[in-house]
Amino acid sequence: MKLLVPVKRVVDYNVKVRVKADHTGVETANVKMSMNPFDEIAVEEAVRLKEKGAATEIIAVSAGPTACQEQIRTALAMGADRGILIEHDGILEPLAVAKLLKAVIAKESPDLVILGKQAIDDDMNATGQMLAALLGWPQGTYASKVEPADGGIKVTREVDGGLERLQLKLPAIVTTDLRLNEPRYASLPNIMKARKKPIETLKPADLGVDVSPRLTVLKVEEPPKRQAGKKVGSVQELVEKLRNEAKVI
Amino acid sequence: MAVLVLADHDGSAVTQPTRSAVAAASKLGDVTVLVLGPRTAADSAAKVAGVAKVLHTEDVLYANGLAEPLAALLVAMAPEYSHLLAPASAAGKNVMPRLAALLDVQVISDIADVVDADTFVRPIYAGNALATVKSADPKKVITVRAASFDPAAAEGGSAAVEAAPKGEDPGLSNFLGAEIAKSERPELTAAKVVVSGGRAMGSAENFHIIESVADKLGAAVGASRAAVDAGYAPNDHQVGQTGKIVAPDLYIAVGISGAIQHLAGMKDSKVIVAINKDEEAPIFSVADYGLVGDLFKVMPEFESELAKK
Ligand SMILES: Cc1cc2nc3c(=O)[nH]c(=O)nc-3n(C[C@H](O)[C@H](O)[C@H](O)COP(=O)(O)OP(=O)(O)OC[C@H]3O[C@@H](n4cnc5c(N)ncnc54)[C@H](O)[C@@H]3O)c2cc1C
Ligand SMILES: Cc1cc2nc3c(=O)[nH]c(=O)nc-3n(C[C@H](O)[C@H](O)[C@H](O)COP(=O)(O)OP(=O)(O)OC[C@H]3O[C@@H](n4cnc5c(N)ncnc54)[C@H](O)[C@@H]3O)c2cc1C
């Protein structure tokens, strides 16, 4: 089984983002960037499938500016075999990313594509589903377990009331949820080895994909700030306040 | 043009987040609700205020919410609607992006406000910023953040219920089974009061401390990611950026530090109470009432104080 794992470069989850003074977006200059945490889980799952002998090759793909190479290198250090960078400096919406990935998939013919369920910057939760639609493939989103079974894959999904299990035909799309695995840290020797692994660079035009955004961001604002309230001294005082001041119980 | 809302239901009635999606849709046009399931659920949709029409089918193809046949059905129905909406539930978030790609439009996820027919507000970066986005697509495919829209009233409408069209089965996936917890407690995203426990609970047994206080208050039970990862609470209890978004009248955070990812899921609650032994915990910066103390001492006292009238 050949695996493709899309990885996105995002503002690190520990950074508290600030809205730009001119309301055109958030401040991303000089902030720490990392691989989207759900994509680390996706890479880890791919590497585990390979270690189990269920997969033969793992390709990590990222779309965005040249610096996305860093996230591809991280994936290579975790165990991916080679990388593809689709270089583009403007906004890439999930539909555009899905079209780019579809074009790469036409060339690479993977059996399984594992994406993150959502990118923690734009929180769209869309790319995997959109890619599945464009390819006409089945989708197993919010996966907490992935097992090759009966010539396809069995996916356990985190849904609103609990868990559900699906059997998908291959090729298929899976998106990762938090409980799928705990991603490894790349070891120093593996980081060194990853430097020698190949990364191919493509442009959206090479893939014949129009990536023009469909959404225009009119403005970005800060949400209303919540004021810290008061400390209460005892449980009795808390219950009294909830009953008589806030009137919520 | 009419607007379509894909309903979630609990087997007998449409959910409160569905009624929030109806409220958002009402700002865009005449609302048709699509109900896939028992007739009682369709009848409940017909009574929701502001609903003009209900389309209904009990076709088993849709019984388990598989995204592939459902997206195919919605594509076939799409020509008659300017906007297609669903609550941003696990089910809505699973199918609507698939539908959007089939229509070659960019999905607009998790909207918190409707500005006009093309323009919507959506939270980004764990709710630390609100983006106003205008769509250039001819048709809009949208998921709705239930916590941001007051639900349309469950009673007051009298829409006609008609048969939904029949769709194709792409035959790509099979439903094997599910473990869905049945609970007497209110649903997390619809509850007026939520009591959540964090890593500090220490074990699944200790989580009963949260549950018994919740039961005194008629509340739903929530959890931080750390508590879910550790197995103290099931996955569907997770509140936060990557879990459920809640905005109850009262949110009580017990032994939760207040990471941005957790705050993203509850900071729009009307009243927030934090119980934490560390007076520096970030959760206190959003709490209306903070109580510094050991939860294992505070919670039993809280429960007995609630029992007093
Ligand atoms: C105010 C604002 C400003 C923006 N500014 C910029 C900007 O300056 N530059 C810019 O590039 N974009 C910009 N964007 C676009 C935005 O950051 C997202 O890239 C885009 O909307 C995709 O959504 P998502 O990442 O939330 O997708 P999701 O659907 O949440 O992502 C799910 C998964 O898809 C995969 N994936 C998604 N994107 C990629 C990718 N690029 N490469 C590989 N895999 C991927 C990953 O596996 C990821 O886990 C902006 C958006 C807004 C709202
Ligand atoms: C990609 C990603 C997505 C995430 N999504 C979410 C999400 O959706 N929801 C979410 O919640 N988190 C999410 N997180 C995790 C988040 O960053 C925090 O790690 C998590 O919320 C911490 O949970 P906690 O507050 O229970 O634990 P901790 O941060 O460990 O806090 C425990 C608190 O309990 C207090 N305490 C300890 N003992 C006692 C006692 N006896 N009595 C009273 N107080 C006590 C401590 O002072 C401390 O403040 C996400 C992280 C990532 C990277």
Side-chain angles (χ1 to χ4, degrees):
Chain A
M1 193 158 68
K2 187 167 164 180
L3 308 180
L4 191 100
V5 184
V7 297
K8 186 178 181 192
R9 178 181 171 85
V10 299
V11 172
D12 186 85
Y13 82 97
N14 273 314
V15 174
K16 183 145 184 352
V17 298
R18 262 176 230 292
V19 171
K20 284 186 189 162
D22 64 0
H23 298 291
T24 55
V26 303
E27 207 55 75
T28 51
N30 303 320
V31 299
K32 183 175 178 213
M33 304 294 285
S34 298
M35 188 192 300
N36 182 38
F38 288 98
D39 303 353
E40 291 181 0
I41 297 173
V43 174
E44 177 65 34
E45 196 62 19
V47 174
R48 288 188 191 185
L49 284 169
K50 193 177 170 194
E51 286 169 349
K52 271 194 279 190
T56 47
E57 192 189 16
I58 303 166
I59 309 166
V61 186
S62 191
T66 318
C68 294
Q69 283 192 359
E70 291 168 25
Q71 281 63 47
I72 296 177
R73 287 285 170 216
T74 306
L76 297 176
M78 287 174 73
D81 297 292
R82 59 189 169 92
I84 299 175
L85 168 65
I86 309 166
E87 211 173 354
H88 180 74
D89 278 329
I91 289 182
L92 289 173
E93 290 170 352
L95 181 62
V97 174
K99 286 180 178 179
L100 292 169
L101 293 173
K102 182 187 177 197
V104 169
I105 287 163
K107 300 207 298 181
E108 298 286 351
S109 314
D111 305 283
L112 181 63
V113 181
I114 311 178
L115 302 90
K117 81 162 175 180
Q118 89 193 58
I120 59 161
D121 50 1
D122 210 31
D123 286 335
M124 272 285 197
N125 192 326
T127 309
Q129 297 91 311
M130 296 190 104
L131 178 60
L134 296 180
L135 293 163
W137 291 6
Q139 67 190 51
T141 53
Y142 324 141
S144 64
K145 198 166 178 193
V146 177
E147 304 152 276
D150 304 325
I153 51 163
K154 204 161 108 180
V155 178
T156 304
R157 307 181 54 229
E158 294 199 356
V159 294
D160 282 344
L163 298 171
E164 73 172 37
R165 281 167 287 117
L166 302 181
Q167 174 77 28
L168 307 182
K169 290 190 176 155
L170 289 175
I173 301 291
V174 163
T175 76
T176 60
D177 216 317
L178 294 167
R179 261 69 62 179
L180 182 57
N181 60 50
E182 234 178 273
R184 70 193 66 193
Y185 290 102
S187 67
L188 199 57
N190 285 340
I191 293 171
M192 302 305 285
K193 257 193 259 164
R195 292 197 182 150
K196 298 206 185 68
K197 292 183 181 174
I199 298 180
E200 180 187 356
T201 301
L202 300 168
K203 298 269 188 199
D206 302 335
L207 296 165
V209 175
D210 173 8
V211 295
S212 341
R214 307 293 184 82
L215 304 179
T216 315
V217 178
L218 300 182
K219 61 178 178 207
V220 175
E221 293 167 302
E222 237 169 275
K225 269 230 166 2
R226 243 196 129 93
Q227 296 301 322
K230 49 190 153 199
K231 294 258 167 57
V232 292
S234 68
V235 169
Q236 288 70 20
E237 188 186 344
L238 176 62
V239 171
E240 191 275 317
K241 290 267 193 278
L242 291 177
R243 283 202 173 120
N244 303 321
E245 191 175 89
K247 301 192 187 357
V248 282
I249 58 171
Chain B
M1 231 189 189
V3 173
L4 186 73
V5 173
L6 171 65
D8 282 349
H9 61 79
D10 61 10
S12 56
V14 295
T15 61
Q16 182 176 316
T18 300
R19 290 188 283 113
S20 290
V22 168
S26 300
K27 299 184 171 188
L28 296 163
D30 287 339
V31 180
T32 299
V33 177
L34 174 63
V35 180
L36 308 163
R39 174 71 197 210
T40 49
D43 290 339
S44 79
K47 290 202 201 101
V48 173
V51 173
K53 185 156 77 171
V54 174
L55 294 174
H56 169 240
T57 173
E58 291 188 45
D59 194 332
V60 290
L61 188 52
Y62 311 111
N64 298 306
L66 291 177
E68 298 82 1
L70 182 49
L73 173 67
L74 291 167
V75 168
M77 296 174 68
E80 296 189 26
Y81 303 96
S82 59
H83 298 71
L84 297 100
L85 297 87
S89 58
K93 290 191 285 195
N94 187 36
V95 71
M96 297 311 266
R98 188 173 179 108
L99 166 66
L102 292 172
L103 297 172
D104 192 32
V105 306
Q106 174 56 50
V107 67
I108 309 164
S109 301
D110 215 16
I111 63 163
D113 200 7
V114 174
V115 178
D116 61 37
D118 303 313
T119 314
F120 307 91
V121 177
R122 54 180 307 269
I124 53 174
Y125 289 94
N128 285 307
L130 293 171
T132 304
V133 298
K134 187 178 163 90
S135 167
D137 284 319
K139 227 175 250 310
K140 276 70 173 172
V141 177
I142 294 169
T143 58
V144 177
R145 174 172 286 214
S148 301
F149 293 88
D150 285 334
E155 303 284 337
S158 57
V161 180
E162 296 172 18
K166 256 195 97 54
E168 303 278 312
D169 180 6
L172 294 166
S173 54
N174 271 311
F175 183 79
L176 299 176
E179 290 88 48
I180 303 295
K182 264 275 151 239
S183 164
E184 296 300 308
R185 297 193 186 95
E187 214 280 306
L188 195 48
T189 56
K192 292 228 176 308
V193 181
V194 174
V195 187
S196 287
R199 194 198 309 271
M201 299 314 299
S203 70
E205 293 72 53
N206 288 345
F207 223 82
H208 294 309
I209 301 173
I210 298 287
E211 290 161 4
S212 53
V213 169
D215 290 341
K216 279 268 173 333
L217 291 165
V221 173
S224 71
R225 174 190 172 183
V228 175
D229 284 1
Y232 308 160
N235 64 276
D236 55 298
H237 283 28
Q238 183 180 314
V239 171
Q241 179 188 14
T242 60
K244 289 183 179 159
I245 312 289
V246 302
D249 292 341
L250 174 61
Y251 187 90
I252 305 178
V254 183
I256 292 178
S257 60
I260 37 180
Q261 292 86 7
H262 189 80
L263 299 185
M266 45 64 81
K267 70 175 158 48
D268 292 331
S269 306
K270 283 202 191 85
V271 174
I272 296 174
V273 170
I275 296 170
N276 197 302
K277 71 174 182 192
D278 172 11
E279 63 177 313
E280 303 283 306
I283 189 76
F284 287 123
S285 70
V286 299
D288 300 284
Y289 301 104
L291 182 57
V292 179
D294 183 342
L295 75 92
F296 295 104
K297 195 171 148 285
V298 169
M299 292 303 278
E301 264 187 62
F302 190 36
E303 195 181 335
S304 53
E305 194 63 26
L306 287 172
K308 294 186 206 156
K309 269 280 159 256

